Structure formats: C-alpha cells, structure tokens
Amino acid sequence: MITKEETGQYLSENKQRFLDELFELLRIPSVSADPKFKDDVQKAAQFVKGKFEAAGADNAEVCQTKGHPIVYADKIIDPNLPTVLVYGHYDVQPADPYELWDSEPFNPVIKNGKIVARGSADDKGQMYIHIKAFEMMMKNGGVPCNVKFMIEGEEEVGSENLEIFIAENKEKLKSDVIVISDTSMIANEHPSMAVSLKGISYLEIEVTGPNRDLHSGVYGGAVANPINVLARMITSLQDENRKVTVPGFYDKVLELTQAERDEMNKAPFNLDDFKKDLNIDDVEGEASYNTLERMGIRPTLDVNGIWGGYIGEGAKTVLPSKAHAKISMRLVPNQNHHEITKLFKEHLESIAPKSVKVKVTPHHGGMPYVTPTDTDSYKAAEKAFEKVWGKKPIPTREGGSIPIVSLFKDILGLDSILMGFGLNSDAIHSPNESFGVENYLKGIETVALFHQYFAELGKK
Amino acid sequence: MITKEETGQYLSENKQRFLDELFELLRIPSVSADPKFKDDVQKAAQFVKGKFEAAGADNAEVCQTKGHPIVYADKIIDPNLPTVLVYGHYDVQPADPYELWDSEPFNPVIKNGKIVARGSADDKGQMYIHIKAFEMMMKNGGVPCNVKFMIEGEEEVGSENLEIFIAENKEKLKSDVIVISDTSMIANEHPSMAVSLKGISYLEIEVTGPNRDLHSGVYGGAVANPINVLARMITSLQDENRKVTVPGFYDKVLELTQAERDEMNKAPFNLDDFKKDLNIDDVEGEASYNTLERMGIRPTLDVNGIWGGYIGEGAKTVLPSKAHAKISMRLVPNQNHHEITKLFKEHLESIAPKSVKVKVTPHHGGMPYVTPTDTDSYKAAEKAFEKVWGKKPIPTREGGSIPIVSLFKDILGLDSILMGFGLNSDAIHSPNESFGVENYLKGIETVALFHQYFAELGKK
C-alpha cells in the first residue's frame, strides 16, 4: 500500500524528529559488557519498548532474562498474511579508549553528514530504522503484512540468553523470514547486501614449559622457552602459501566456480585505496586468491592475542613458565565449527614438542551462513534497495560472523535477509563510530518498502 | 695472620649476632625498582655504612648519586700491600607476587637451615659476608692487605649510576682485584667458582601492520596480522638444530677444545634431576651440545616477553595493529654485544615482509667476561674455598650476565673473582628466596682467609 512517494513525503516531514529520537537513544550508555551500565541497559530497553508502543504495536514488552532484557513487539493484522521478524540489538560496545574520541561517545553530534556516537551504526541506528519504518507504515495505511520484533541487549557479549529465549518462544516467534540490519554496504553509490557470512572457531592455547619462571641467563638455550615454542607452533599452522596446515581443514570447503568468482569480483574494489586506507605497503594472504576472495570466500586463521613473559617497561631476563595465544579461524560454507575446533585441537596437541605441555581450550564457535537469493524475501529486499538507492544491491560475501543467524536457521528454521545500511568506514567497535544521516533516513524508506514488496510477493 | 682456627673460633662466638645483624638488614625493604621504597633504600645504605664503621673502616660514606646511593668504605694499612676491592649491592628485587611467599618476604625466618627472605641470597646475605669477614679480620690482628668496599643500591635496576661513579672515582677505587659474591656454587658438597659469564644483547621488536586494530572477520586472511608475522620472524631466528640464524652470529664465538669441554663436563650434573626439578619431559637446545654446555659455553636466544592483540578474559576478534616482543641473546667470549645487536637489528629489518613495518630498539647490552685463573687472586680464592669447604672449587662457566664485571675491566682495568656462596635452589628473584645459614657463615670464613692468602701471595 505504501509507495516511494509516501515514504519520501513522510520522511521529509519527520526527518528532524527521527534524528532527535535516535539521539535520545544514543545518549543512553547501554554498554552490555560493563556491569556499571546495567541500569542504562534497562533504560534503553524501556525506551525501545515505548517507541514500539507509540508507533502502534499491539504488544510491546520488555522480557527479562538472566542477563539483559529482550524487547519483543508485534503487529499482527492477518494470520494468512506473511510475517516478518525483525532482529536487532540496543546494546553497544564499550566506548573506551575515550581519549581517542573527538566528541563524547554518548553525546551524539553530526559531523560531515554522519552521526558520531557509540552505537550509531552498531546497532542502535540500524535497529531504530525498523522502528521508524514501522511507524511510517502504520501512519500510511498500516503494515502490509504481520511484523514481529525481537531486539536484544546482549549482542555485544555473545547473545547467550537470546538462544534460550528463541528456544523457549518458537511459537511466538513463528514467521516467514528474519530481517537484520547489522551489516554494511559497499558504498552509498554501490548498495549491497551480504548473502554469506563466515562461521568461526575461537580457541585459546596455553603452552607450559618449566614449572616456574626461570632466569634466561642461567637456563636459556637449555630449556624449551614456551614463547619460542608457541611462535613455532603458530608459524607451522600456515604454509608459505598461507594455507592452513591443520589436516582436514579444507576438506568440506565449498569451492566457488570460476563464474561465481568472476561475479563476486565485479564488486567495486580498489587495492591501492584499500592499502592506503590501512597504511600498508602490501597485502598478504592465501596464494591464488585475491583480496576480495580472501575476505569473502576463503577460510582464514588469525592470532587475535598473544602474551607471555615480561611485557612491562624496560627489560627483564625471564624464561617464562607459560605462553598463551587466542586464535580464531573464520569458516566458509560447508565447514562445521565443531569439526574444525576438534581438528585444530587434535593437530595442535599432536605437534607439541615433548619439551612443553600444550592445553587447547575452545572458546566459542558459529556456523557459516548463506542467504538463499531465490526467495520472495530476498527479491523484495533487492527491489526496495533499487527503488531507494537507484541501483540493484550487489550480493556480497562477508568475512564477519553473526553466529545468531545460523542459530535462527537451526532453531526457528528461518532464513535471514541482511539489509545492512552501514559502511565499512563507520568504525564500529572503535572510537568515533559513526552512521550516515543519509543511510539512516534512506534505510527507513528501504525497510518500509521491503515490507510492502514482500507482502505483495507473498500474496500470490 | 688470621688462620682457619681463628676464623672458626670467632665464628662460633659471634654466630648469633652475625645472623641477627643480617636479619635486621633483610627487614629493610630496599626495593630499588619501586619509588615507594625510596626511603628504605636510603635506610639500607645508612645501615651498611654504620656496620663498616663499627667493624673498623677508616672511611665509610654514603655517596649520593642521581639514583640510589653507593656505600664506599676502606681500610688502608700500607700502600705497598695489595688492595682488594669488594663489590656488592644492598638493593633487592621486588617481592611480588607476595601471595606466593610462605612467609613474609621482609620478615626473615630460618627454615630447613636456610634464611628465607627477599635479598637473603641476592645480594644482602652474600654482601654482608664481606662486612663480617672484615670485622673478623679486624678483631683478629687486623686486615692483612688494604681493602676497599663499593656497595651499590641499583644493581637490580641496571647499575646506571655505578658506571658514572667508577668513571669519576678511578683513583679512589684503585686496587689489584675485585671480589664479588653474587653468584652461586654447584652444591655445598661441590664448591665452585664461576670463571666465565655470558654477555647479553637485549632488544625490543615492534611489528606494525594496519594503522588501526581491525575486525578479524572482515580483514582476516587478507591483511598481514602482525602477531602471525612476529611469530614467523621469531621462528626463523633459529633453525631446526636451534642454531641462531642471524648472519655472523657465531663468527667470533670462542669454540672450546674437546679437552676443555671434557673438563667442564666433569662438574656434577644429572639430567634426570634437572628435568624433574623443572617438571619437564625433555630438554631442548642447540644440537651437538649437552645441557651443561648449552648453559655455560654456547650463545643463546630467548624471547623474554611477547604481547599483542586481545589478552583479557574471553574472546575478542581483533586483527591488531601491532605486536611486540622482547628478545635477548646471551653471548659468549669473544662475541661483542654492540656487534651482535647491530647484526640482529639489520637481520630482523631485512627479513620483515613488505606487509608490515618492523622497529627494533636495543635495550641494553653487556660483554661476556672470563676470569683469568692463573692469578694470585684466583689461587688465593681457590685455596680459601678448599680450606673451608674441604674441596678445591670447580671452575664453572655461567649462563648469567653481570654486565658491571666487564665494565670494571674496561674502566678500572681490574679482573673480578666471583666468590659466590649461593645455590641455584635459592630462588633468587622469585618467591621464597633463601640462603643457607651454612653458606652465610662459611662464606665469612672463606672471605677472611681469601684476604690472608692473597696478601701472602702478593707479598713475594
């Protein structure tokens, strides 16, 4: 029922209020990781619930969990119509280091056309798009299909209670598709939608050498140094072509055809700009794949943290008892994170020299995910993007992982459409996080039109 | 003039007071690294000066420096007689982690025949041996030669001001030999004296990849991860025989003859006990050398500290901008630490891949040192050890470095005799540091007799 003309009209009339409301939400420091912000997290949940009510939701509730609450809301107009379930989160990453921000992280400002604040892109701004799109539809003839919303407060800390919530509320959450705005587009001139996400296997390694820290002068060169051993083990995990050497690692990897690779390489990408942005002289990665492919379709292995011995100022001549590393592997379809975790652990234990003891502890994992693109929901999203941004969105394969997406598939049997409106330059999780005003406002239109097109396609 | 009978007699009469005085000194937490103990460091210096005066020194002064003071004392009886310069230190390592101590680090107790306290062995106990030996000589006919003492308060933080002090006081410090008790013996049943010390080259490496921390999901596998690169560089510094690969590293190494190796391998050493003590299943080191040789006569390379990325609890998927390591190489005669530092820096810079930037910062260095054993002073020490401990001391080659020893040689032109009375089990720098009561008391006798024998040999 709603048209591009109506969305444009409503937007121009309510633009300032839409920004004001988002700013109000951004001022609440709902940092889920830090207990000191517990009350603010609750406050943000109440704010979100209130806005659903104001926009015309039938039910809007703050569902308490063992951790931070989940806001649920819905508007059911006809059980025979299709149902969209929107997922988002109102919690944010910690803002530190504060000193690297040019403005207060919880006092949003607009700078160069972008809203600068913690959570502006991830995910308050992108989540709030859906509340305002809901309002826009309600004020322009009502929603064209049933809508449900599930907005959590623990995304930045692992969504532990969300998994319990969805397992316990399968009926309540019954829908046809899930829509998530928590990813980014290539550029405003090149709208895109992520159609695949990598999985992850994250582990921690502890290497123990002697039973106590030793004097490196007395024992050095005669007793295995756990840091040197850890460095050797890490090095051996990749060969000179940067292939992961864990036996079986690539066995289930879905290899793309040359045609598929050609297709994905049509995405606009400039290696010089990429290097300049990161201030690096060269890239590095798996041989026979280019940078886009390494990021999008190849499994990878990175050390995310390493520590051992003396790491303070100055010098201490210690041969430490222990050394540690955190290592993650990003997985692609059809790798299974349980299998990869097992292979990695077994391999690492098998290559440990007798001179040390090695302990491998799995942290967490997630399955890779692929959005099917031959569905009504994907086509509706594609059409909505094209209508608002002037171009058909490029399907992209993302290196990031959103473990809940594969959980939704497993527990609810639902696919997710990743309608991300952010940009890579938004600096999510970093100081000076920002979100384009244009992205925010156009996002609202895009989401409203998506519902319209999805309802139309679903009717037949 | 003083005989073994006299030293034994005086010792048995004054044993308790000797322990009481040392305990009093051990109760002063003279931690040089921590500004919070600044006043205690001064207090310890005053205590030491007072004991020199009480024992009969002509001059005893607390010489202030830009850092902690140096205590100087002397007793000159005849300019024509030889002069011994004793070096020691009254400062101690920090005592943390306190929770690993079985008793208070600054409240000495005797347990299993050992004095347990921070500084008991390193170096208060060993240094105080010299003050009590001086007293013993003074009370038994006077010192047989001239004696000078230089007791510093910054050994545990690099002796920076000592170097200035000796350079400015060459005349005052003029002597025939330096005596230091700051090393250890093989065992009470196997007295030994260190005759060589390793040198050291200590550097810090910083590897910089992208200009900011990146999301390892988005960029992993496509951008060089500085931790992975650092691990590769560290690994490449040693080959599979654990030979250091820095070009030129071994060029000047003084290779021992087979006869010399056979001689040093006569020292009592049991590999099984060694492994059991450290709770390791295997040792590891340079091929074609055994454990004693690796520790004593071979140059080595150890990572003393490494850090980068996320090292807190849980998991964070960061591809960090930087990774760091502290690396030290122990050097043997005739390696030069300036040369080795330069070779290492050049090598590391040359192997850095284009995908990262590598910065190598030298921390400090010290030359290896060898005590000549064909001297009056060495022979006198050997004789004193034999007289008190019943066996000729085994000459040992130590892996540790005492950079000031080569400074003494360079600036004052003096050799050092390392009359160490500690044991490797004393746990210096660690919780529950201890020093044998027997080692303390026999040390006093040994030092007194050393002066006597040295004076006799020097007379001819």
Side-chain angles (χ1 to χ4, degrees):
Chain A
M1 305 161 219
I2 200 168
T3 63
K4 175 72 178 76
E5 288 63 44
E6 287 169 327
T7 59
Q9 174 71 17
Y10 192 77
L11 197 63
S12 67
E13 286 164 12
N14 295 281
K15 190 176 151 178
Q16 191 54 48
R17 181 173 56 82
F18 284 2
L19 283 168
D20 291 346
E21 287 180 15
L22 174 57
F23 274 40
E24 204 179 332
L25 176 58
L26 290 171
R27 278 188 206 104
I28 307 171
S30 49
V31 178
S32 49
D34 191 339
K36 149 173 122 206
F37 295 106
K38 198 166 182 284
D39 291 347
D40 293 300
V41 176
Q42 288 283 347
K43 199 174 153 192
Q46 294 296 342
F47 178 94
V48 168
K49 176 198 168 225
K51 292 301 174 188
F52 277 123
E53 283 172 335
D58 287 336
N59 300 295
E61 46 182 330
V62 172
C63 312
Q64 297 298 336
T65 71
K66 277 183 190 164
H68 301 304
I70 293 160
V71 180
Y72 174 83
D74 64 28
K75 178 77 193 175
I76 309 298
I77 53 166
D78 181 347
N80 295 316
L81 284 174
T83 304
V84 171
L85 172 59
V86 173
Y87 163 81
H89 65 96
Y90 64 83
D91 66 320
V92 299
Q93 278 275 321
D96 35 321
Y98 278 69
E99 65 276 15
L100 296 186
W101 286 78
D102 297 328
S103 54
E104 290 289 317
F106 297 109
N107 190 12
V109 292
I110 293 179
K111 204 170 159 182
N112 304 324
K114 301 192 81 177
I115 304 159
V116 182
R118 169 57 83 231
S120 53
D122 179 21
D123 181 46
K124 282 177 175 169
Q126 297 217 62
M127 178 274 290
Y128 208 66
I129 280 174
H130 289 271
I131 305 186
K132 293 300 100 179
F134 174 56
E135 175 198 311
M136 186 183 264
M137 293 184 280
M138 292 297 288
K139 293 287 162 72
N140 287 276
V143 288
C145 59
N146 304 310
V147 285
K148 295 179 177 178
F149 299 90
M150 175 172 60
I151 313 297
E152 72 154 322
E154 295 188 311
E155 200 272 346
E156 302 294 3
V157 289
S159 305
E160 211 177 301
N161 291 295
L162 184 76
E163 184 171 352
I164 300 166
F165 182 80
I166 59 175
E168 287 175 352
N169 292 280
K170 283 189 203 173
E171 194 54 37
K172 184 178 194 163
L173 299 172
K174 207 167 179 177
S175 316
D176 296 284
V177 71
I178 292 177
V179 174
I180 305 176
S181 297
D182 198 15
T183 48
S184 56
M185 309 192 300
I186 295 171
N188 285 11
E189 308 75 51
H190 296 290
S192 60
M193 273 201 292
V195 295
S196 94
L197 294 167
K198 286 186 183 172
I200 187 168
S201 164
Y202 198 113
L203 304 101
E204 190 160 325
I205 305 175
E206 180 187 81
V207 178
T208 305
N211 52 5
R212 59 186 188 269
D213 285 2
L214 301 176
H215 190 297
S216 71
V218 179
Y219 291 93
V223 173
N225 179 324
I227 305 179
N228 291 66
V229 173
L230 178 59
R232 287 209 300 271
M233 292 176 77
I234 288 169
T235 300
S236 81
L237 291 173
Q238 288 169 311
D239 68 15
E240 68 281 12
N241 291 316
R242 302 287 168 264
K243 297 250 179 225
V244 176
T245 58
V246 175
F249 185 76
Y250 292 100
D251 283 2
K252 299 202 175 163
V253 167
L254 185 73
E255 296 283 346
L256 267 65
T257 63
Q258 193 54 50
E260 286 173 310
R261 286 172 71 175
D262 291 347
E263 183 61 30
M264 75 168 286
N265 281 311
K266 283 183 189 159
F269 177 78
N270 183 302
L271 187 60
D272 286 332
D273 292 346
F274 181 83
K275 290 194 288 191
K276 201 191 274 175
D277 174 47
L278 302 175
N279 192 26
I280 53 177
D281 291 334
D282 205 358
V283 293
E284 185 183 295
E286 190 182 355
S288 33
Y289 294 92
N290 65 30
T291 298
L292 266 189
E293 292 167 340
R294 289 165 182 167
M295 292 196 287
I297 60 167
R298 298 302 297 169
T300 60
L301 181 150
D302 271 281
V303 182
N304 301 111
I306 192 165
W307 70 104
Y310 181 69
I311 63 178
E313 283 291 307
K316 193 174 169 182
T317 50
V318 63
L319 189 168
S321 172
K322 287 178 190 293
H324 305 81
K326 293 178 195 271
I327 293 186
S328 67
M329 289 160 288
R330 296 286 171 165
L331 312 177
V332 300
N334 298 317
Q335 287 177 300
N336 176 309
H337 77 89
H338 296 294
E339 273 175 33
I340 294 294
T341 298
K342 188 165 173 282
L343 289 173
F344 181 90
K345 187 170 154 64
E346 286 170 0
H347 175 63
L348 219 74
E349 286 163 356
S350 79
I351 61 170
K354 219 181 125 192
S355 53
V356 298
K357 289 167 194 76
V358 170
K359 198 171 108 189
V360 181
T361 310
H363 260 301
H364 70 272
M367 295 294 178
Y369 176 77
V370 176
T371 300
T373 55
D374 57 353
T375 58
D376 290 347
S377 50
Y378 187 81
K379 282 173 198 155
E382 205 171 42
K383 192 173 163 190
F385 264 101
E386 194 174 0
K387 196 79 182 175
V388 176
W389 301 81
K391 276 183 193 164
K392 210 169 151 175
I394 300 164
T396 60
R397 291 158 194 275
E398 300 281 315
S401 308
I402 313 185
I404 39 156
V405 170
S406 57
L407 270 186
F408 291 155
K409 183 73 181 175
D410 287 351
I411 302 179
L412 302 176
L414 296 177
D415 279 309
S416 295
I417 305 289
L418 303 166
M419 297 179 73
F421 299 103
L423 296 175
N424 273 337
S425 56
D426 289 346
I428 64 166
H429 293 208
S430 297
N432 303 313
E433 174 179 354
S434 64
F435 188 41
V437 173
E438 182 188 352
N439 300 63
Y440 174 55
L441 299 174
K442 279 190 171 172
I444 297 169
E445 281 194 272
T446 313
V447 167
L449 291 174
F450 160 75
H451 283 82
Q452 180 58 32
Y453 301 150
F454 180 58
E456 284 167 13
L457 287 167
K459 241 176 238 164
K460 58 177 180 206
Chain B
M1 304 159 217
I2 200 167
T3 64
K4 175 75 177 74
E5 289 62 44
E6 287 169 326
T7 60
Q9 173 72 18
Y10 192 77
L11 197 63
S12 66
E13 286 164 11
N14 295 281
K15 191 176 151 177
Q16 191 55 47
R17 181 173 57 82
F18 284 1
L19 284 167
D20 291 346
E21 287 180 16
L22 174 57
F23 275 39
E24 202 180 332
L25 176 58
L26 290 170
R27 280 190 204 103
I28 307 170
S30 49
V31 178
S32 50
D34 191 339
K36 146 172 124 210
F37 295 105
K38 197 167 182 284
D39 290 349
D40 293 299
V41 176
Q42 288 283 348
K43 200 173 151 192
Q46 294 296 343
F47 178 95
V48 168
K49 175 196 169 226
K51 293 301 175 189
F52 277 123
E53 283 172 336
D58 286 337
N59 299 296
E61 44 181 330
V62 172
C63 312
Q64 298 298 336
T65 70
K66 276 182 191 167
H68 300 304
I70 293 161
V71 180
Y72 175 84
D74 64 27
K75 179 78 193 173
I76 309 298
I77 53 166
D78 180 349
N80 295 319
L81 283 174
T83 304
V84 172
L85 172 59
V86 173
Y87 162 81
H89 64 97
Y90 64 84
D91 65 321
V92 299
Q93 278 276 319
D96 37 323
Y98 278 70
E99 65 275 16
L100 297 184
W101 284 79
D102 296 328
S103 54
E104 291 289 318
F106 297 108
N107 190 11
V109 292
I110 292 179
K111 204 170 157 181
N112 302 324
K114 300 192 81 176
I115 304 159
V116 182
R118 169 56 83 231
S120 54
D122 180 18
D123 181 48
K124 282 177 174 170
Q126 297 217 62
M127 177 274 289
Y128 208 67
I129 279 174
H130 289 271
I131 305 186
K132 293 299 100 178
F134 174 57
E135 176 198 312
M136 185 183 263
M137 292 185 280
M138 292 298 288
K139 293 286 161 71
N140 288 275
V143 287
C145 58
N146 304 311
V147 285
K148 295 179 177 180
F149 300 90
M150 172 171 64
I151 314 297
E152 72 154 323
E154 295 188 311
E155 199 271 348
E156 301 295 0
V157 289
S159 304
E160 212 177 301
N161 291 296
L162 184 77
E163 184 172 350
I164 300 166
F165 182 81
I166 58 175
E168 287 174 352
N169 291 280
K170 283 189 203 174
E171 193 55 36
K172 184 177 195 163
L173 299 171
K174 207 166 180 178
S175 315
D176 295 284
V177 69
I178 292 177
V179 174
I180 304 175
S181 296
D182 198 15
T183 48
S184 56
M185 308 193 302
I186 295 172
N188 286 9
E189 309 74 51
H190 297 290
S192 61
M193 273 200 292
V195 295
S196 94
L197 294 168
K198 285 187 184 173
I200 188 168
S201 164
Y202 198 112
L203 305 101
E204 190 160 324
I205 304 176
E206 180 187 80
V207 177
T208 305
N211 53 6
R212 59 185 186 272
D213 284 2
L214 301 177
H215 190 297
S216 70
V218 179
Y219 292 92
V223 173
N225 179 324
I227 304 179
N228 291 66
V229 173
L230 178 59
R232 288 209 301 271
M233 292 175 76
I234 288 169
T235 300
S236 81
L237 291 173
Q238 287 168 311
D239 67 15
E240 68 281 13
N241 291 317
R242 304 287 167 263
K243 296 249 178 226
V244 176
T245 58
V246 176
F249 184 77
Y250 293 99
D251 284 2
K252 300 204 174 160
V253 167
L254 185 72
E255 296 283 347
L256 267 65
T257 63
Q258 192 54 51
E260 286 173 309
R261 286 172 72 175
D262 291 346
E263 182 61 31
M264 75 168 284
N265 281 312
K266 283 184 190 157
F269 176 78
N270 183 300
L271 187 59
D272 286 331
D273 291 347
F274 182 81
K275 290 194 287 191
K276 200 190 276 175
D277 174 48
L278 301 174
N279 192 26
I280 53 177
D281 291 333
D282 205 359
V283 292
E284 185 183 295
E286 190 182 355
S288 29
Y289 293 92
N290 66 28
T291 298
L292 266 190
E293 291 167 341
R294 288 165 182 167
M295 293 196 287
I297 60 167
R298 297 302 297 169
T300 61
L301 181 149
D302 270 282
V303 182
N304 301 112
I306 192 165
W307 70 104
Y310 181 69
I311 63 178
E313 283 292 307
K316 193 174 169 183
T317 51
V318 63
L319 190 169
S321 173
K322 287 178 191 291
H324 305 81
K326 293 178 196 270
I327 294 185
S328 66
M329 288 160 289
R330 296 286 171 165
L331 312 178
V332 300
N334 298 321
Q335 286 177 301
N336 176 308
H337 78 89
H338 295 295
E339 271 176 34
I340 293 294
T341 298
K342 188 165 173 280
L343 288 173
F344 181 90
K345 187 170 154 64
E346 285 171 359
H347 175 63
L348 219 73
E349 285 163 355
S350 78
I351 62 169
K354 221 181 122 192
S355 54
V356 299
K357 290 166 193 75
V358 170
K359 199 171 109 187
V360 181
T361 310
H363 260 301
H364 68 272
M367 294 296 179
Y369 177 77
V370 176
T371 300
T373 55
D374 57 352
T375 58
D376 289 346
S377 50
Y378 186 82
K379 283 174 197 154
E382 205 172 40
K383 190 172 166 192
F385 263 101
E386 195 174 359
K387 195 81 184 174
V388 176
W389 301 81
K391 276 184 192 164
K392 209 168 153 175
I394 300 164
T396 61
R397 291 158 196 275
E398 300 282 315
S401 307
I402 311 184
I404 39 157
V405 170
S406 56
L407 270 185
F408 292 154
K409 182 74 182 175
D410 287 350
I411 303 178
L412 302 176
L414 295 177
D415 279 308
S416 295
I417 304 289
L418 302 167
M419 297 179 74
F421 300 102
L423 295 175
N424 273 336
S425 56
D426 288 346
I428 63 165
H429 293 209
S430 297
N432 302 313
E433 175 179 352
S434 65
F435 187 44
V437 173
E438 182 188 351
N439 300 64
Y440 174 55
L441 299 174
K442 279 190 172 172
I444 296 169
E445 281 194 273
T446 314
V447 168
L449 291 174
F450 160 76
H451 283 83
Q452 180 59 30
Y453 301 149
F454 180 58
E456 286 167 11
L457 287 167
K459 240 176 239 164
K460 65 184 174 194

